Amino acid sequence: MKKIVFILALQFIASISLSAQVQTKDTIVPKSLTEVIVINKKAHLSQKQSKALATIDEYLQQSGKIEMIKRGGYAWEPIINSMATERTLITIDGMRIFGACTDKMDPITSYVEVSNLSEASIKSGQQGACHGATIGGAIDLKRNRSNFSDLGWEASINAGYETNSNQKIFGTAINYVENSFYVDTDFMYRDADNYTAGNNQEVLFSQFRKFNVSTTSGFLIGKNKLIEGSLIYDKATNVGYPALPMDVSLAEALITSLKFEYTPKSSKIENWESKLYYNTITHRMDDTKRPFVPIHMDMPGWSDTYGFYSKAKGVFENHHFTADLNSFYNRSIAEMTMYPTDPNENLMFMFTWPDVRTFYGSLFLEDNIALNSTSSLKFSGSLANHFNKVADELGLESLQIFYPNMSASKIRILKSISSNYSYNKNGFEYGFGLAYGERSPSVSEGYGFYLFNSFDRYDYIGNPGLKNESSVEVNTSLGYATKKFSAKVTSSYFHISNYIIGKPDATLIPMTIGASGVKIYTALNYATIFNTDLNVEYQISDHFKTKGQLVYNYGKDFEDKNLPFISPLRYSAALNYKMNQFSSEIMVQGNATQTQYSPFYGEDRTPDYAIVNLATSYLFTIDGSKLNVRAGIENILDRYYSTFSDWNNIPRQGRNFFLNLTFTY
């Protein structure tokens, strides 16, 4: 790791020397160091994707920065830069949303659909601090929105089928735009049975059913003011989680917002956007369909969030600045009721999240300076106040069994600062950044009460006295592009102090039947994480294009022990063919053997694998309407495999035939 830091430092010194030699007469608009995955553009549903009606989880896996923890056939948990959701942020149109499940069965990505999203903006490390306090980075899921150039009605119908899980997909979208008004509506429904792994082995309790309704409407007030309201309602039922001891009977979300957008005339402020939002999540775990349950449990959870942000962007000479004031109030509560097999015994009840109230407010400032026509320098910083309170008296008294002196509330100050230099000339691009950031413990880490982790089979207890986790980050990128060829490598290194994990406490007795013991959240002195990815693309001819990706990750704690969920070397390669309205793609993707696993966290060695996918599409034009037909085969060789991020080694899907139809008129 010292060698890595030394090499990155040399690159930074070289970049400063280079910028000093360049004239500063001409300037350009600085480019943001953000990766964008296109999901759905208006009237061209996922034209660049081989499987248009894939879940959002499958889209996000295209990024070299993201992996997914899989617990079932639905609602996977994104990992950014080898860090799970405690150290990262996921927002929808800039809105903070918090799941209501103590077992992470409901990541924020599960409450949107590909049909109502335009793109996923992925920011690494402190580049994502514009959305709040983070260590690993942030994903902002941006929804589709009509503009005032395409007037009139537009409608589309989506239908899909997948043979492996007998998944049926149906959706519609209707949009209407006039000179000063627009409304977008979208509906998507999915229904899947158990899927089968390689060699036709059924994975029980992997079924799911869900629907998603989304609408957005905007009004122009004058020529430079817009008021926009939006709503998302998502409901999933009968969701199986084969890697966990329980399933989900209900996962329900209502997400609403009201936005005011102002574009001043003849002003240094180019855009000013303010938004009020509210969302509520309800989640109910269910074990009634599982055989041989030692003791039946009800485990509901609720999360309500009220928030706002006000963000201004502008230009003054060669400074491109952003100021963002944002705040939210969240209430998270989860409980567990256990029903003894003997009806004469009393029910057992406890709060697993003891009605934790969180109030957060921050100011984020950024200045992106165009040094000249080839280079820019960006500085950003944020200061946040983070307040927690345990509002339920029974929950507070339960935690005071372990922490007699704990108070009901706690205030934390969170800081972030970063700098990034970028250079781009004649197809060559280079970037270097240094950053520092802090985060507070999550609700589970600070206030969780006997949360069972089926991965390492320990009950977990929160620790309200934990210090803020902090990270020093170094990132670098190097790329070259011509008309036919492009290659880019990006790397990031994180030195994380007060790294929060659970450690066994032999003096405590577990509550969950079959648990190995109890872990209390504590902090290691530090941990280090290194990530690097290489992306290459080459246009062989007018009709053929090839692309490839190689990703490497490394993670150790201060005692040189492996960290959990660190991916082995992974790769993908694809060959694309396109002529007129026809296109096809063949892809190979896989992992090397995971040798740097961590038995302490419940991991074991996972073997290498490689799978082959094939997809084709054709676009028909019928009297001005368009019919896009996509068909393909995933895991053609029906390989049985499990990856490092599959909870309890749950196998992934075997051979799967899919058909996606999109009709737009």
Side-chain angles (χ1 to χ4, degrees), residues 335-370:
E335 59 187 44
M336 178 171 65
T337 303
M338 290 175 282
Y339 298 84
T341 53
D342 185 350
N344 297 317
E345 294 183 10
N346 294 327
L347 301 180
M348 292 176 284
F349 174 87
M350 67 180 183
F351 285 104
T352 49
W353 282 347
D355 197 356
V356 181
R357 313 291 176 91
T358 302
F359 179 78
Y360 176 92
S362 75
L363 175 64
F364 173 83
L365 300 173
E366 179 182 279
D367 186 8
N368 206 340
I369 308 166

Side-chain angles (χ1 to χ4, degrees), residues 50 61-62 545-551 569-576 585-592 608-615 633-637 639 641:
S50 58
Q61 286 188 121
Q62 300 172 33
K545 179 174 68 175
T546 184
K547 57 184 177 179
Q549 183 182 79
L550 194 63
V551 182
L569 183 72
R570 62 183 174 99
Y571 57 88
S572 66
L575 177 65
N576 300 80
E585 177 185 78
I586 186 167
M587 172 183 284
V588 178
Q589 62 185 53
N591 276 3
D608 64 316
Y609 78 92
I611 61 171
V612 182
N613 303 325
L614 175 67
I633 313 172
E634 297 172 310
N635 195 356
I636 294 175
L637 302 179
R639 175 73 183 269
Y641 70 104

Side-chain angles (χ1 to χ4, degrees), residues 361-611:
S362 75
L363 175 64
F364 173 83
L365 300 173
E366 179 182 279
D367 186 8
N368 206 340
I369 308 166
L371 300 176
N372 47 60
S373 60
T374 60
S375 59
S376 64
L377 187 61
K378 180 168 67 175
F379 296 98
S380 67
S382 69
L383 186 64
N385 177 77
H386 186 280
F387 172 80
N388 281 133
K389 181 180 179 180
V390 179
D392 186 270
E393 190 64 28
L394 174 61
L396 177 62
E397 291 173 354
S398 298
L399 283 170
Q400 286 176 336
I401 296 173
F402 305 100
Y403 310 103
N405 298 322
M406 76 167 283
S407 60
S409 61
K410 188 175 183 64
I411 297 177
R412 300 173 185 269
I413 303 298
L414 304 175
K415 304 172 288 297
S416 167
I417 187 170
S418 71
S419 62
N420 290 85
Y421 171 82
S422 62
Y423 173 85
N424 192 324
K425 185 177 182 180
N426 297 329
F428 173 78
E429 63 173 294
Y430 171 71
F432 182 87
L434 295 170
Y436 171 83
E438 297 176 346
R439 75 162 180 106
S440 62
S442 67
V443 172
S444 291
E445 292 169 336
Y447 304 98
F449 191 74
Y450 280 99
L451 305 177
F452 178 63
N453 184 320
S454 62
F455 198 73
D456 61 8
R457 307 202 65 78
Y458 275 82
D459 283 332
Y460 279 69
I461 294 174
N463 182 353
L466 288 169
K467 295 180 180 179
N468 294 340
E469 192 175 84
S470 61
S471 170
V472 174
E473 173 193 344
V474 183
N475 59 76
T476 185
S477 64
L478 182 65
Y480 180 73
T482 64
K483 187 176 180 179
K484 290 188 174 182
F485 172 80
S486 67
K488 186 174 183 179
V489 59
T490 63
S491 301
S492 58
Y493 171 77
F494 299 86
H495 185 281
I496 306 172
S497 300
N498 299 316
Y499 186 86
I500 299 173
I501 64 158
K503 277 193 172 183
D505 189 328
T507 65
L508 301 179
I509 300 174
M511 184 172 296
T512 304
I513 297 174
S516 301
V518 176
K519 287 184 178 181
I520 291 199
Y521 280 107
T522 184
L524 303 178
N525 290 344
Y526 67 86
T528 57
I529 295 176
F530 174 72
N531 310 283
T532 186
D533 61 273
L534 170 66
N535 290 273
V536 179
E537 189 171 302
Y538 179 59
Q539 188 76 41
I540 301 172
S541 68
D542 292 341
H543 303 299
F544 285 96
K545 179 174 68 175
T546 184
K547 57 184 177 179
Q549 183 182 79
L550 194 63
V551 182
Y552 174 74
N553 308 95
Y554 176 92
K556 297 280 189 178
D557 66 14
F558 74 109
E559 295 178 329
D560 204 36
K561 295 179 180 177
N562 295 322
L563 296 179
F565 297 115
I566 302 297
S567 173
L569 183 72
R570 62 183 174 99
Y571 57 88
S572 66
L575 177 65
N576 300 80
Y577 173 79
K578 180 174 176 58
M579 176 176 281
N580 299 325
Q581 306 302 318
F582 175 80
S583 65
S584 65
E585 177 185 78
I586 186 167
M587 172 183 284
V588 178
Q589 62 185 53
N591 276 3
T593 302
Q594 185 192 29
T595 56
Q596 298 182 9
Y597 58 92
S598 175
F600 177 79
Y601 296 100
E603 291 188 315
D604 55 16
R605 181 187 180 97
T606 54
D608 64 316
Y609 78 92
I611 61 171

Side-chain angles (χ1 to χ4, degrees), residues 100-106 283 285 299 334 352-353 444 451-452:
C101 177
T102 57
D103 280 359
K104 301 184 181 181
M105 293 176 172
D106 64 337
H283 192 273
M285 291 190 235
M299 297 184 66
T352 49
W353 282 347
S444 291
L451 305 177
F452 178 63

Side-chain angles (χ1 to χ4, degrees), residues 626-638:
K626 295 179 180 179
L627 175 63
N628 196 332
V629 180
R630 295 177 183 270
I633 313 172
E634 297 172 310
N635 195 356
I636 294 175
L637 302 179
D638 200 28

